[in-house]
């Protein structure tokens, strides 16, 4: 890990490969090696490592999420959505996974499904600001200003001192008039 921080990529890769040989059932090593490859624009190798990790730790949400993000970068949307959906389902307690899956669905034009995923995530994580921003933004973009204002209001209620959230709410309220 120290070599990775120092951007000593060859040494870091060697250390991660050694760690995988010693502890092949430790998912964070697969994640770290794939991340090292991402930093070097070596996503095909990163994908291979993540898939290796999923063979030894099937259903690991961290590996699935990382694979989904990699597939998004590679513009393989259907596969990315599948991996992100599995990550969100495998770890419903991690708000970030549901948020990223919802945003990816929205980006793929699956607005209704994105809203469903994000609303369900909001029920599990009512205090997650990213989920509320996504719900407000998608609602606004879909012409549902009332819903957007409601979500933005909930966002402001989370942190009344958040000037960006207050400005977002004000913009939505002004658009409604």
């Amino acid at each position: 890990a120290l070599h990775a921080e120092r951007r000593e990529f060859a040494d870091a890769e060697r250390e991660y490969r050694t760690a995988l040989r010693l502890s092949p059932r430790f998912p964070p090593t697969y994640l770290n090696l794939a991340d090292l490859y991402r930093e070097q624009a070596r996503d095909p190798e990163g994908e291979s490592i993540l898939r290796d990790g999923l063979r030894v730790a099937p259903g690991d949400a961290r590996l699935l999420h990382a694979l989904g993000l990699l597939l998004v970068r590679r513009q393989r949307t259907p596969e990315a959505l599948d991996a992100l959906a599995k990550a969100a389902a495998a770890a419903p307690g991690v708000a970030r996974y549901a948020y990223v899956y919802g945003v990816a669905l929205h980006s793929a034009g699956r607005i209704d499904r994105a809203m469903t995923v994000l609303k369900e995530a909001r029920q599990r994580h009512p205090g997650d600001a990213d989920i509320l921003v996504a719900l407000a933004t998608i609602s606004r973009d879909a012409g549902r200003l009332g819903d957007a204002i409601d979500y933005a209001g909930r966002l402001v209620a989370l942190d009344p001192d958040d000037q960006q959230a207050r400005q977002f709410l004000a913009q939505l309220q002004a658009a409604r008039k």
Side-chain angles (χ1 to χ4, degrees), residues 95-96 99 103 118 121-122 125-137 151-152 154-159 162 164-165 168:
R96 186 83 186 154
Y99 164 76
V103 169
L118 290 165
R122 189 181 141 267
H125 309 282
D128 189 273
D130 289 335
I131 291 170
L132 285 168
V133 168
L135 284 165
T137 302
Y151 292 125
R154 292 170 191 265
L155 182 64
V156 169
L158 286 180
D159 182 2
D162 182 340
Q164 272 189 307
F168 184 41

Side-chain angles (χ1 to χ4, degrees), residues 133-169:
V133 168
L135 284 165
T137 302
I138 294 169
S139 295
R140 177 200 64 203
D141 294 349
R144 294 182 234 156
L145 278 179
D147 290 344
I149 290 167
D150 179 55
Y151 292 125
R154 292 170 191 265
L155 182 64
V156 169
L158 286 180
D159 182 2
D161 295 327
D162 182 340
Q163 291 305 311
Q164 272 189 307
R166 295 177 77 74
Q167 185 177 23
F168 184 41
L169 176 58

Side-chain angles (χ1 to χ4, degrees), residues 18-100:
T18 298
L20 286 175
R21 276 193 303 279
L22 296 172
S23 296
R25 298 207 177 280
F26 189 61
T29 306
Y30 293 94
L31 291 167
N32 290 335
L33 182 54
D35 195 47
L36 182 74
Y37 288 148
R38 180 191 54 77
E39 288 182 47
Q40 300 174 74
R42 294 168 62 188
D43 272 343
E45 290 162 280
E47 179 179 351
S48 178
I49 286 298
L50 291 170
R51 291 190 187 280
D52 288 348
L54 285 165
R55 277 190 278 286
V56 298
D60 184 280
R62 298 163 298 182
L63 292 169
L64 288 163
H65 184 73
L67 178 61
L69 293 175
L70 182 148
L71 294 168
V72 165
R73 286 193 304 277
R74 300 199 69 203
Q75 299 178 350
R76 290 165 48 194
T77 304
E79 290 174 87
L81 290 175
D82 182 59
L84 293 171
K86 288 176 181 173
V94 180
R96 186 83 186 154
Y97 295 166
Y99 164 76
V100 170

